[in-house]
Amino acid sequence: MMEQFLKGVGFRTNRPVFEPGEEIEVYVTGYEGDAAVARVGDTVLRIPDAPRDALDKRVRLRVEEFDDNDHDGQASLLEVVGDQTF
């Protein structure tokens, strides 16, 4: 009976993995040098082509490179989806 109740239930990870070419929506959470950064849990995506005013905005990205071991990657900005985090 419990198996039916829990069927399809999963847990999110704090270290998601992304595939090159995958498109996702995230918030820009900061900057490292000139590159904007989006953090998804403990995973970090750097967005070198994001504008300086992208902080705290929701953006759509295309993952360009991703290292499964370090949970670190680079993405390209496709568009700014929202201009506020709340």
Side-chain angles (χ1 to χ4, degrees), residues 66-79:
F66 192 78
D67 183 327
D68 294 356
N69 292 323
D70 294 333
H71 293 273
D72 185 86
Q74 184 168 319
S76 296
L77 179 71
L78 298 175
E79 70 177 310

Side-chain angles (χ1 to χ4, degrees), residues 3-42:
E3 288 176 28
Q4 286 181 316
F5 179 73
L6 295 175
K7 186 176 182 177
V9 172
F11 296 97
R12 294 188 314 183
T13 177
N14 65 335
R15 298 190 87 185
V17 174
F18 299 104
E19 295 293 325
E22 186 174 352
E23 293 184 8
I24 59 173
E25 287 188 14
V26 296
Y27 285 99
V28 174
T29 59
Y31 287 88
E32 289 181 0
D34 289 335
V37 174
R39 288 179 176 81
V40 184
D42 293 334

Side-chain angles (χ1 to χ4, degrees), residues 29-84:
T29 59
Y31 287 88
E32 289 181 0
D34 289 335
V37 174
R39 288 179 176 81
V40 184
D42 293 334
T43 295
V44 176
L45 294 171
R46 287 171 189 74
I47 317 157
D49 61 344
R52 274 313 275 180
D53 65 347
L55 183 62
D56 293 334
K57 293 184 180 173
R58 187 170 182 87
V59 296
R60 191 163 58 91
L61 305 176
R62 179 181 301 113
V63 177
E64 302 296 341
E65 301 172 9
F66 192 78
D67 183 327
D68 294 356
N69 292 323
D70 294 333
H71 293 273
D72 185 86
Q74 184 168 319
S76 296
L77 179 71
L78 298 175
E79 70 177 310
V80 174
V81 178
D83 60 0
Q84 295 181 344

